[in-house]
Amino acid sequence: MTDQELIQALVKKELLAEAIAKKLLEEAALKNRSPESLLYEERLLDEVQVAKAKSEILGIPYKKIDPASISDNLLLIIPRDTSRAYNVIPLERRRDMLVVGMLRPDNLEAQEMLSFVAKRERVSLGVYVVTPSDLAAVWRRYAPYRNEVEAAVKEIGVSKKVDDLMVTLEERGSSADDAPIIKIVASTLREAVDLRASDIHIEPQHARLRIRFRIDGDLQEGASVPSALAQPLISRVKVLSRLRLDETRVPQDGRFRTVIGGKDIDFRVATFPTPSGEKVALRVLDPATGLKGLKELGFNEHNARILEKAADAPFGMILITGPTGSGKSTTLYAMLQRLNSDKVNIVTLEDPVEYFMDGVNQSQVRPEIGYDFASGLRQILRQDPDIIMVGEIRDTETAGLAVNAALTGHLMLSTLHTNNAIGVIPRLIDLGVPSFLLSSSLNLMLAQRLVGRLCPECKRAAPASEEMQKVIKKTIERLPEEIKSKLSFKPPYSVYRVEPNPDCKVCKGKGTRGRVAIFEIFIMTRELGEIINKGFSEEALMNETVRQEMVDMRADGILKALQGEVLLEEVLRETE
């Protein structure tokens, strides 16, 4: 099966548009990459759909894998490095048969490796098609992160002094002393990607070096190593990100890119001096988790239609608002992915550029040399843009330029910091934008929050309390008729609780797996424009949201809670 045959099969099944398939093949040829790997990286299709298509083409069944069912003895048959190199995992041993999972069963090199294993073990082979996520889940079974770190520390020997451990600039020239340090850093980066962590914190303490991961918004400790290794480990990270090794007194910023699990992962690095040594924070920028389509973000059908209509407008401003860490950038990138085509010129101004998008002209501001959002926006307007994305509107000058761009035939996307969608209007006026310009420049205001997504294995339906029943009933009554007519929920309403299982392989006993956004969308209408021009009040704006039948964040969250996606209590807490 060639890559061309796989893509054609996906087009034939109407899973992939022909135009997108053509663009994908061109991009793969240009980057010398597999079209299948780009499919996963750019999240154009669900990987299970791809696996099932391969299954039909090759006549080999697809199988969903439970990593917990694979014994440690079975993993010894195909070593981890071999498994990673050929994308093959052992699944089961049945008397004289070894059953394996393969990402590409037609790969000749992988077939030769398996033939060797079969002869050595004196078994025949059975094969299933598996997905990249299944491969990654089984690879985590080989050597848990803490074990890898502990083994590397033992290899070094805690008795060695800091000065005995010099990290070289190039891995190929590393000494026996350097190798464990390189191994610990590599294992830490790989673990962060496997856990879908957004950040890594490497923190020198008085008696140890603590390594923590931020997963679904919460920090959790991953490993602890002797304090003697703090400086070499941090030096290794600084080497990767090309920071000055001899400068430890002031903060430094850098970034580097590497391949982990077949994906290009960017790491943004920031050092910070403390009395115990330099602390390092690494932002993990994994396109597989950070670049999502609008449908994956959690928009209900009603809100998705409103947002898509605003995005298709030839000009005007779409502003996304919410606190730090609420997923605003993810939503911006999702919109850019939808708008990106050969027919439009998209230019962005970011601080910093988080994800690199093919076909989008991205620029990073550098305030230290006078290249800030305001000066950058002036330059963007000379680049003949159709669509402009500015990372954040922070000051009066940027706000004025953004409004001017929206008025002069450009679609402008940006973010603000306000508590809700109606807060955008007073915030823009506070930034010096004349109120009479808002009705003609502003198209849509979107506010969002992130709440934990319930683990599908640990969640259980339970009747809502009497107080909750009243809240749910009141919320449903004020929903737009088009949403109410499609609801299947009837009183008494049931919500979901989590019963975390320490042995759960999906959430590892946490009860949640990832996060989902709750949204509200406020539209600029003729009526809203009149309210603003007359000198608005908060009450007048709230009345307009009622007239528009706006589905606010609390209502959106309650609907998701009834569907079993999130905890109702967390929704109510986040939308107080």
Side-chain angles (χ1 to χ4, degrees):
M1 176 188 67
T2 65
D3 287 323
Q4 187 87 29
E5 287 173 334
L6 174 61
I7 300 302
Q8 285 174 352
L10 295 172
V11 171
K12 190 175 180 180
K13 288 176 172 291
E14 297 184 347
L15 295 173
L16 199 65
E18 198 160 343
I20 294 176
K22 182 182 177 183
K23 186 177 178 182
L24 183 73
L25 291 169
E26 290 172 353
E27 185 180 348
L30 191 65
K31 294 182 176 179
N32 196 24
R33 295 272 305 278
S34 158
E36 185 179 350
S37 68
L38 290 177
L39 263 179
Y40 302 133
E41 185 178 301
E42 297 179 11
R43 302 186 69 82
L44 296 174
L45 273 183
D46 183 87
E47 56 184 25
V48 173
Q49 293 177 309
V50 181
K52 288 180 177 178
K54 283 193 285 186
S55 173
E56 287 187 24
I57 295 170
L58 298 170
I60 296 172
Y62 158 72
K63 184 178 178 68
K64 175 65 181 169
I65 307 304
D66 177 13
S69 67
I70 301 172
S71 68
D72 293 339
N73 289 335
L74 192 60
L75 294 175
L76 297 175
I77 295 177
I78 302 178
R80 186 183 67 172
D81 291 343
T82 304
S83 175
R84 283 180 174 271
Y86 296 101
N87 289 316
V88 175
I89 48 176
L91 299 179
E92 189 181 351
R93 177 104 182 230
R94 305 174 187 164
R95 293 188 180 180
D96 298 329
M97 177 181 283
L98 175 65
V99 181
V100 299
M102 302 179 71
L103 183 67
R104 292 297 295 261
D106 56 329
N107 184 295
L108 294 177
E109 292 180 351
Q111 291 174 3
E112 289 175 5
M113 180 276 293
L114 286 173
S115 296
F116 171 79
V117 171
K119 287 178 184 177
R120 185 191 67 199
E121 299 292 324
R122 297 180 180 178
V123 292
S124 59
L125 290 169
V127 177
Y128 284 108
V129 176
V130 296
T131 65
S133 294
D134 289 331
L135 288 172
V138 173
W139 288 337
R140 286 199 291 273
R141 286 286 318 280
Y142 275 96
Y145 172 59
R146 285 177 186 264
N147 294 350
E148 287 187 338
V149 173
E150 287 169 10
V153 170
K154 285 179 183 175
E155 192 177 335
I156 296 170
V158 241
S159 60
K160 292 193 176 186
K161 297 178 183 178
V162 177
D163 294 338
D164 293 334
L165 295 163
M166 297 299 292
V167 178
T168 55
L169 296 178
E170 299 292 337
E171 286 192 33
R172 71 184 72 178
S174 61
S175 67
D177 284 344
D178 300 327
I181 295 294
I182 292 171
K183 192 181 297 181
I184 291 173
V185 172
S187 296
T188 300
L189 301 181
R190 188 167 58 244
E191 180 74 358
V193 173
D194 287 345
L195 292 174
R196 299 164 63 91
S198 61
D199 300 88
I200 307 167
H201 292 259
I202 303 175
E203 304 166 315
Q205 308 291 298
H206 178 65
R208 65 188 179 117
L209 178 74
R210 179 174 66 175
I211 300 175
R212 295 193 292 172
F213 302 104
R214 188 176 294 281
I215 302 168
D216 299 339
D218 299 322
L219 280 170
Q220 65 182 49
E221 186 166 317
S224 179
V225 300
S227 59
L229 304 184
Q231 187 270 329
L233 281 173
I234 290 167
S235 293
R236 173 62 184 159
V237 175
K238 291 173 77 172
V239 166
L240 289 172
S241 45
R242 298 183 180 179
L243 300 180
R244 287 184 56 184
L245 293 176
D246 60 342
E247 181 56 82
T248 60
R249 300 164 301 170
V250 296
Q252 297 185 69
D253 293 322
R255 70 187 301 158
F256 64 92
R257 175 182 288 191
T258 187
V259 177
I260 296 178
K263 298 182 292 185
D264 284 345
I265 309 293
D266 277 296
F267 292 90
R268 204 170 75 220
V269 181
T271 67
F272 185 76
T274 74
S276 301
E278 284 184 288
K279 176 189 182 302
V280 178
L282 296 93
R283 170 62 57 89
V284 185
L285 301 170
D286 180 356
T289 56
L291 289 178
K292 299 180 180 180
L294 288 174
K295 291 182 181 178
E296 297 174 83
L297 296 183
F299 283 98
N300 61 49
E301 189 178 328
H302 176 76
N303 280 342
R305 189 163 55 252
I306 293 172
L307 182 59
E308 288 173 356
K309 182 180 178 182
D312 289 337
F315 58 87
M317 194 155 51
I318 297 174
L319 295 180
I320 302 171
T321 184
T324 301
S326 60
K328 299 188 296 294
S329 295
T330 302
T331 304
L332 276 179
Y333 278 110
M335 293 183 68
L336 288 180
Q337 281 189 302
R338 184 185 182 280
L339 294 165
N340 189 15
S341 77
D342 293 336
K343 296 181 179 180
V344 293
N345 177 22
I346 303 177
V347 188
T348 76
L349 198 57
E350 305 174 53
D351 183 21
V353 174
E354 292 195 4
Y355 299 101
F356 296 99
M357 295 182 65
D358 187 51
V360 177
N361 303 292
Q362 298 170 270
S363 181
Q364 179 169 322
V365 299
R366 297 192 178 277
E368 66 274 13
I369 59 171
Y371 182 53
D372 55 16
F373 281 124
S375 60
L377 191 45
R378 285 196 197 89
Q379 297 303 318
I380 282 179
L381 293 171
R382 299 172 186 169
Q383 290 296 316
D384 185 32
D386 299 293
I387 299 166
I388 301 169
M389 190 273 268
V390 174
E392 185 183 345
I393 295 177
R394 297 176 180 171
D395 52 54
T396 298
E397 193 174 5
T398 308
L401 289 166
V403 168
N404 181 63
L407 289 169
T408 53
H410 306 91
L411 184 63
M412 165 67 65
L413 311 177
S414 192
T415 69
L416 274 176
H417 282 284
T418 66
N419 292 326
N420 50 32
I422 66 171
V424 169
I425 293 167
R427 178 64 181 143
L428 286 175
I429 292 173
D430 185 52
L431 286 172
V433 177
S435 59
F436 66 88
L437 290 181
L438 291 181
S439 58
S440 48
S441 62
L442 194 54
N443 289 359
L444 179 146
M445 298 145 276
L446 184 153
Q448 63 182 78
R449 297 280 191 285
L450 291 178
V451 291
R453 189 190 295 272
L454 298 184
C455 170
E457 299 298 322
C458 299
K459 69 180 182 181
R460 302 286 183 270
S465 67
E466 188 176 338
E467 186 181 346
M468 294 295 187
Q469 295 281 354
K470 292 177 182 176
V471 172
I472 295 169
K473 183 180 179 183
K474 186 178 178 181
T475 300
I476 289 178
E477 284 175 352
R478 55 187 175 85
L479 288 173
E481 197 56 45
E482 68 164 304
I483 295 181
K484 279 196 285 190
S485 63
K486 296 178 182 178
L487 294 182
S488 58
F489 317 119
K490 304 292 181 187
Y493 300 104
S494 290
V495 291
Y496 285 76
R497 303 276 181 267
V498 285
E499 299 173 7
N501 175 10
D503 298 322
C504 179
K505 301 301 178 183
V506 177
C507 68
K508 297 180 172 57
K510 190 177 178 184
T512 57
R513 170 68 170 169
R515 290 185 289 176
V516 63
I518 54 176
F519 301 96
E520 65 182 28
I521 295 179
F522 195 26
I523 312 165
M524 177 56 69
T525 60
R526 181 176 54 80
E527 292 83 358
L528 178 56
E530 290 174 0
I531 291 170
I532 295 170
N533 291 333
K534 288 177 182 176
F536 62 90
S537 64
E538 186 175 345
E539 183 182 359
L541 295 178
M542 290 300 295
N543 290 338
E544 174 61 14
T545 67
V546 174
R547 192 198 66 78
Q548 288 187 19
E549 294 186 306
M550 181 180 86
V551 180
D552 61 25
M553 283 187 285
R554 172 165 286 202
D556 190 38
I558 287 174
L559 289 176
K560 288 182 169 74
L562 291 171
Q563 292 162 354
E565 292 188 61
V566 298
L567 276 177
L568 180 57
E569 291 82 357
E570 187 178 1
V571 169
L572 298 179
R573 186 173 62 250
E574 288 291 331
T575 57
E576 284 180 345

